[in-house]
Each structure stands twice: as structure tokens, then as C-alpha cells.
């Protein structure tokens, strides 16, 4: 798919202040794929996302990026990988955070244009690009509003527009809708799913909502324990239409994820083997 | 407009009421004029010497204004430099705090020695007292920038200067405005103290000198007039700074809401 990049996390461990936060995490997502990582708070999900995004470096293990177009087997044998930092610097990676992290003194347009501005894109070009993005998300009317004038849901949509304005090859979402009410959250889930399809970017979503994970992703990885360990990915093979959240296969998949999250530790070891 | 009146009217009424009480008290108790003149007596005296008083007010305002601008520029620049280096911060900031403890009245004579009698000494005196609140508040503001937003700038490869200019400085604006407002009042105080020790007689003698000269001549009414005018200079400077602060913050900061 287009020029999205895949990610292969291999045996990554991370120590913080002497203690292991993540222990031998293994995660893989194909170029253009959608992966969700679920688990309870403090389980290292966010840390794993930050490792993938190059914000922090792993204590051990490796994170490899694979360009699209290559077949899976090829990249498995000889990954033409990039380091996390290099990929981020090429603007291949974008983040979307829970609180939105908008600059309160800038209006919507200036906030969306920020990533381009910081990379030296001229005012005219970056505003054109930002307006295009806003139009795509039906935010054009709010162009001149300040973040304080927006609802929580609107703020998140602006944050998503900002994350996508650089046309990222990999989009990392850290609990993006965790603070929103249920109705807004469902609407934004659907919007995110459509944006992912339209842009063809690879997406990795960290969430504590099983339903959100199963309804959006192609694969769900459960992360649990202290230090956090990843369980083998669950492939989500239900159709992604609006009514699927109540379908039997959807409920069954949610149940599987739930079981992985709640089973006893000795069973986890078995599954991991 | 309605909001402005709601904020401005109560203190104005209080002030008028106090002046009326003062006027009546002087009428009733009849203290000697050199002890306590009445507001109307002060007004009359000020009217007689209005030309000299206006000239003095202008001199003081120029000195306070210049001192304030120097303090603002130096304070914000130093804070910005210090905010970029933990090393410099550890070494210099405690010294800056200590410097703040030195009484201005004690070093004012030094300023006369260094700058001579006249404007430069009073400007220096104003700048010296006004610089620290700007420095301290700006530095606080720069340092308390949301780490999450710093990370955002890091993700998009912003360099240090960009981060300072586009993130740290705007997010420190509320603190900077607070520092500047404190500095506005202090600049006038610093100027008048400077004028006491280094002021110059003559046509353009500043308010501090008017106070000294009137005191020697037992012209308490003129002392009051000069004191009121120097307070007015401070008030105008404070008001101007507050207005500029409000302009820069009104779109996004909670402090600008009128309750």
C-alpha cells in the first residue's frame, strides 16, 4: 500500500529507573496495517508506542521499519530497516495523544499547520495543506477558533488533522479518545477508521477499550503484567461496517481479547510459548 | 463597556469617599497646613505650580519608562538565556536573587558616582529594582512549559531557538505579563529613590526633587501633589502594561476573563 511503512518490534525490553517496564515485547504490523495494543494502565503500552516512535531508545532488542512494496518474507530475511529516530526525522511518523496537545495560543489552522511550520514549509503552502486537511475532516468552519472554544471531541479531531497533515507513513495513537464521552468516541472511531483507509497509512493504536481495539484494528495485541509482556496477536477478521459491533463474531473476538487480558499468569506463560 | 464600569466604579467611588472624609476632617480639626493640608488645598497649590509639576512629572515618567524598558529587555533576555542552560541557571540565578536583596537606597549613591547627577542615574536606579521580577517570572514561565508540548516540538524536529520562540515564550506570556506589571510599579519607586540622591535642580527637576525641595520649604501641600503625581505615573505605566498583557492573552488565557 502506497509508501506506508511496516514495523517489526523484536524482543524489545525497556528499563526505567532500574526496573523493567517492558520485557521482550514482540509486535509486528505490515505496511498499511492497523494494529491495536490493549492492556491495563501501567502495563507499558504507552512506553512501547514511544519506543516505536523513537522518543526513547530501547534497553535491548530492536525495532525495524520496513518500506511498503517489499513482501513480508523478504523483509523478514533481510530487513531494509531504518532506526526509529531516522524514520521520525524523515517525518514518516506522526503522533496523536490523548489530551490533543494543541497550543492554546494558536487557532485551529495554525495548530494544524504547526508540524509543517516546524519543518520550514512556507506559510502559504502549509496553510493550504492544513486547510485541505481541515476540509477533509469537516473542520473548515472552525479554522479561526481557539482550542479553548472547542469541545473535547473537536479538539481531538484537530489533533488528528495535525497528526495527518504531514502525510505520515506511520501514525501512532496513544489513547486518543480515552477522555471522551461514549457517543463522541464512537463517532471518532469511525472517522479514524475512514481516515486510515483513505490515507493508506500504517496505524498503531494504544487503547484500554477492547471494543475500540477490535472494531478498528486488523490485529490486536494484548500487553499485560509487570514488566509488560506482549501476547501473540489476535487476528480480527470481522467486516468493518458500522453495524458489526453487535455481531456475534465481533462479540466473540472481544471475549477472546478479554480472556487474554484476565487469565492467570501461568496461563499467559503457556500462551506465550 | 458595562464590564469595565463594573470593575472601575467601586474603587473610584471609594477613593472619592476617602477624599471627602479627609476634606471634612481637615475642616473640623483644623491641623496646621504643614502637617496635613486638605485635598482642595493640595489641588490649589498644584494648580499654582502646575507648569513646574507637569515638567517634573514628565521627567520622572521618562526615567521610569526608560528604566522599565531596560528592565523588561534585560530581564527577559537573561531569563531566556538562563532557561536554556541548567549550568548557567545553577550558577547565576542564586546570585541574581541575592542581588535583589541589596537595598536600593544603599546602592543609589553608588549609581551617582558611576552615572553622575541626572537622568542616567535615575534610569539605572529604576532598571535595577524592576529587572528582578521580570527575570524571575519569565524564567518561571519558561521553565514550566508543558513537557508534553516540548515533546511535540521534539517529534517535529524543532531546534532550540524555534522551541523557545514558538513554544516556551508564548506559554510563558502570562508569567511575563505578571513580572512586567510588578516591574512597572517598581520602576517608578526606583526612579523616585534615584531622584532623592541624584536628582537635579532647575527647570526640569523631577518629582523626587520636588518632594525634597517642598519638604525643606515646609510646603506639605506640594509634597502631597508630587507624591500623587508619582503615583499617577506608576498607575499609567501599570495600566499600559496590563492593557498590553490583556491584548496578548485575551484570546486564550483564563486570567483575562472579567469575573
Amino acid at each position: 500500500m502506497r509508501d506506508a511503512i511496516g514495523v517489526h518490534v523484536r524482543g524489545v525490553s525497556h528499563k526505567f529507573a532500574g526496573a523493567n517496564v517492558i520485557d521482550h515485547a514482540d509486535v509486528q504490523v505490515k505496511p498499511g496495517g492497523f494494529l491495536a495494543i490493549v492492556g491495563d494502565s501501567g502495563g507499558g503500552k504507552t512506553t512501547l508506542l514511544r519506543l516505536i516512535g523513537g522518543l526513547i531508545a530501547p534497553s535491548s532488542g530492536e525495532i525495524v521499519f520496513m518500506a511498503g512494496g517489499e513482501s513480508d518474507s523478504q523483509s523478514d530475511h533481510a530487513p531494509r530497516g531504518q532506526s526509529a529516530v531516522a524514520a521520525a526525522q524523515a517525518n514518516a511518523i506522526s503522533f496523536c495523544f490523548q489530551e490533543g496537545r494543541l497550543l492554546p495560543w494558536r487557532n485551529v489552522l495554525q495548530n494544524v499547520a504547526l508540524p509543517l511550520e516546524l519543518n520550514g514549509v512556507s506559510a502559504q503552502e502549509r496553510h493550504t495543506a492544513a486547510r485541505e486537511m481541515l476540509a477533509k475532516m469537516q473542520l473548515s468552519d472552525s479554522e479561526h477558533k481557539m482550542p479553548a472554544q472547542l469541545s473535547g471531541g473537536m479538539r481531538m479531531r484537530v489533533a488528528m488533522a495535525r497528526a495527518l497533515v504531514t502525510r505520515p507513513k506511520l501514525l501512532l495513537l496513544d489513547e486518543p479518545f480515552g477522555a471522551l464521552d461514549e457517543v463522541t468516541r464512537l463517532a471518532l472511531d469511525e472517522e479514524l477508521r475512514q481516515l486510515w483507509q483513505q490515507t493508506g497509512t500504517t496505524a498503531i493504536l494504544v487503547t484500554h477499550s477492547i471494543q475500540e481495539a477490535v472494531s478498528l484494528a486488523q490485529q490486536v495485541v494484548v500487553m499485560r503484567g509487570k514488566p509488560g509482556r506482549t501476547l501473540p496477536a489476535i487476528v480480527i477478521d470481522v467486516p468493518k461496517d458500522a453495524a458489526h459491533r453487535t455481531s456475534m463474531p465481533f462479540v466473540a473476538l472481544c471475549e477472546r481479547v478479554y480472556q487474554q487480558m484476565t487469565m492467570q499468569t501461568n496461563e499467559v506463560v503457556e500462551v506465550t510459548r | 463597556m458595562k464590564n469595565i464600569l463594573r470593575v472601575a466604579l467601586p474603587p473610584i467611588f471609594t477613593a472619592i469617599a476617602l477624599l471627602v472624609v479627609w476634606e471634612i476632617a481637615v475642616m473640623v480639626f483644623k491641623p496646621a497646613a504643614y502637617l496635613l493640608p486638605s485635598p482642595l488645598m493640595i489641588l490649589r497649590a498644584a494648580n499654582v505650580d502646575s507648569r513646574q509639576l507637569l515638567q517634573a512629572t514628565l521627567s520622572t515618567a521618562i526615567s521610569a519608562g526608560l528604566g522599565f524598558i531596560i528592565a523588561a529587555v534585560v530581564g527577559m533576555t537573561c531569563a531566556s538565556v538562563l532557561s536554556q542552560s541548567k549550568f548557567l541557571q545553577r550558577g547565576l540565578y542564586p546570585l541574581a536573587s541575592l542581588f535583589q536583596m541589596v537595598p536600593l537606597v544603599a546602592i543609589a549613591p553608588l549609581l551617582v558616582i558611576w552615572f553622575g547627577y541626572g537622568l542616567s542615574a535615575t534610569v539605572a536606579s529604576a532598571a535595577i529594582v524592576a529587572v528582578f521580577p521580570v527575570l524571575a517570572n519569565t524564567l518561571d514561565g519558561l521553565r514550566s512549559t508543558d513537557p508534553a508540548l516540548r515533546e511535540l516540538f521534539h517529534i517535529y524536529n524543532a531546534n532550540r531557538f524555534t522551541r523557545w520562540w514558538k513554544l516556551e515564550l508564548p506559554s510563558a506570556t502570562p508569567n511575563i505579563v505578571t513580572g512586567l506589571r510588578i516591574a512597572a510599579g517598581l520602576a517608578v519607586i526606583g526612579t523616585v529613590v534615584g531622584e532623592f540622591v541624584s536628582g537635579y535642580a532647575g527647570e526640569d527637576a523631577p518629582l523626587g526633587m520636588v518632594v525634597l525641595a517642598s519638604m525643606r520649604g515646609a510646603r506639605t501641600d506640594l509634597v502631597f501633589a508630587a507624591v500623587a503625581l508619582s503615583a499617577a505615573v506608576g498607575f499609567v505605566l501599570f495600566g499600559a502594561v496590563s492593557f498590553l498583557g490583556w491584548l496578548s492573552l485575551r484570546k486564550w488565557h483564563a486570567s483575562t476573563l472579567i469575573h
Side-chain angles (χ1 to χ4, degrees):
Chain A
M1 192 168 267
R2 212 187 40 144
D3 49 355
I5 54 177
V7 183
H8 197 164
V9 174
R10 282 187 203 153
V12 161
S13 298
H14 189 68
K15 278 195 173 77
F16 184 75
N20 251 344
V21 188
I22 295 180
D23 188 28
H24 283 90
D26 284 297
V27 170
Q28 193 172 1
V29 56
K30 286 182 297 193
F34 198 133
L35 171 82
I37 304 171
V38 287
D40 27 59
S41 359
K45 313 188 290 281
T46 294
T47 308
L48 183 57
L49 201 69
R50 292 164 60 84
L51 285 165
I52 295 171
L55 288 178
I56 41 178
S59 308
S60 64
E62 60 172 354
I63 298 167
V64 182
F65 293 94
M66 297 158 293
E70 278 175 301
S71 81
D72 281 349
S73 57
Q74 272 178 328
S75 39
D76 266 346
H77 289 301
R80 255 193 12 210
Q82 263 184 306
S83 79
V85 174
Q89 275 168 356
N91 260 325
I93 301 180
S94 243
F95 272 90
C96 191
F97 304 94
Q98 178 175 335
E99 331 82 68
R101 297 193 185 172
L102 302 179
L103 305 188
W105 53 87
R106 284 174 170 238
N107 66 23
V108 166
L109 182 70
Q110 292 165 331
N111 261 296
V112 173
L114 178 76
L116 300 175
E117 181 180 339
L118 294 181
N119 280 286
V121 177
S122 75
Q124 203 188 350
E125 275 180 86
R126 65 177 186 250
H127 287 152
T128 309
R131 285 205 176 91
E132 257 170 46
M133 204 59 232
L134 288 172
K136 193 182 261 183
M137 300 185 69
Q138 276 101 50
L139 282 168
S140 298
D141 293 342
S142 307
E143 188 179 307
H144 297 294
K145 286 196 177 140
M146 303 301 283
Q149 297 172 282
L150 303 175
S151 66
M154 286 285 270
R155 243 173 279 173
M156 276 322 304
R157 297 177 64 219
V158 173
M160 268 206 284
R162 183 179 63 191
L164 289 170
V165 80
T166 54
R167 300 182 188 282
K169 296 168 185 167
L170 172 61
L171 176 63
L172 303 177
L173 304 123
D174 188 6
E175 293 277 9
F177 313 134
L180 301 178
D181 63 89
E182 192 66 22
V183 174
T184 311
R185 184 171 191 155
L186 287 174
L188 287 194
D189 277 349
E190 178 56 23
E191 196 161 350
L192 170 60
R193 199 179 59 76
Q194 284 172 9
L195 284 168
W196 165 65
Q197 281 179 339
Q198 283 168 23
T199 56
T201 178
T202 312
I204 301 181
L205 168 76
V206 159
T207 176
H208 55 244
S209 161
I210 298 173
Q211 296 227 335
E212 187 171 82
V214 173
S215 74
L216 285 172
Q218 299 171 319
Q219 294 175 74
V220 174
V221 167
V222 169
M223 206 169 173
R224 51 171 293 174
K226 278 190 188 193
R229 291 194 172 88
T230 51
L231 272 57
I234 298 172
V235 176
I236 308 297
D237 44 12
V238 290
K240 303 284 183 192
D241 57 42
H244 76 275
R245 280 196 191 225
T246 49
S247 70
M248 280 310 289
F250 179 84
V251 175
L253 279 165
C254 286
E255 185 58 28
R256 260 186 77 194
V257 176
Y258 178 75
Q259 277 174 359
Q260 275 208 0
M261 287 174 76
T262 52
M263 68 179 126
Q264 296 301 308
T265 319
N266 51 349
E267 293 173 296
V268 174
V269 174
E270 252 165 55
V271 171
T272 319
R273 278 171 190 159
Chain B
M1 195 60 204
K2 222 173 165 185
N3 278 333
I4 293 172
L5 285 182
R6 199 188 305 157
V7 172
L9 282 183
I12 290 176
F13 277 133
T14 314
I16 291 174
L18 282 174
L19 288 174
V20 170
V21 169
W22 179 357
E23 186 72 40
I24 293 171
V26 171
M27 276 196 312
V28 173
F29 298 109
K30 295 190 172 41
Y34 72 88
L35 281 180
L36 186 68
S38 80
L40 284 179
M41 289 157 76
I42 295 167
L43 215 58
R44 243 173 272 136
N47 191 34
V48 171
D49 285 320
S50 60
R51 225 181 63 84
Q52 193 209 351
L53 280 173
L54 280 180
Q55 187 60 56
T57 308
L58 194 65
S59 295
T60 299
I62 288 172
S63 165
L66 286 175
F68 171 79
I69 290 169
I70 291 173
V73 171
V74 171
M76 285 161 68
T77 309
C78 288
S80 298
V81 171
L82 289 188
S83 74
Q84 298 301 315
S85 159
K86 282 249 156 60
F87 178 75
L88 284 180
Q89 231 174 84
R90 281 200 206 102
L92 290 176
Y93 192 58
L95 292 183
S97 319
L98 272 181
F99 181 66
Q100 167 73 1
M101 309 299 166
V102 178
L104 177 68
V105 190
I107 51 169
L110 267 181
L111 297 178
V112 178
I113 296 173
W114 290 334
F115 293 99
Y117 290 90
L119 187 69
S120 31
T122 57
V123 169
S125 169
I128 283 172
V129 270
V131 74
F132 189 74
V134 180
L135 172 68
N137 280 286
T138 305
L139 189 57
D140 260 6
L142 292 172
R143 286 192 336 196
S144 53
T145 305
D146 186 354
L149 293 180
R150 280 180 198 276
E151 196 172 87
L152 185 79
F153 272 62
H154 171 76
I155 289 166
Y156 293 119
N157 318 312
N159 61 28
R160 237 166 214 240
F161 178 81
T162 311
R163 195 181 65 198
W164 169 76
W165 176 242
K166 294 189 171 169
L167 173 65
E168 292 166 350
L169 210 53
S171 98
T173 313
N175 301 64
I176 295 173
V177 169
T178 303
L180 290 178
R181 283 162 68 165
I182 299 171
L186 286 178
V188 179
I189 296 176
T191 295
V192 174
V193 168
E195 287 165 358
F196 273 4
V197 285
S198 71
Y200 32 103
E203 275 291 282
D204 58 346
L207 287 172
M209 279 311 290
V210 173
V211 169
L212 278 187
S214 310
M215 195 186 74
R216 286 186 194 119
R219 289 293 305 276
T220 312
D221 45 3
L222 277 181
V223 173
F224 268 106
V227 168
L229 285 169
S230 59
V233 171
F235 185 79
V236 169
L237 197 54
F238 179 86
V241 172
S242 297
F243 180 68
L244 288 178
W246 177 79
L247 273 188
S248 62
L249 293 175
R250 77 201 143 116
K251 276 193 177 159
W252 65 278
H253 201 257
S255 71
T256 56
L257 300 172
I258 295 176
H259 295 289

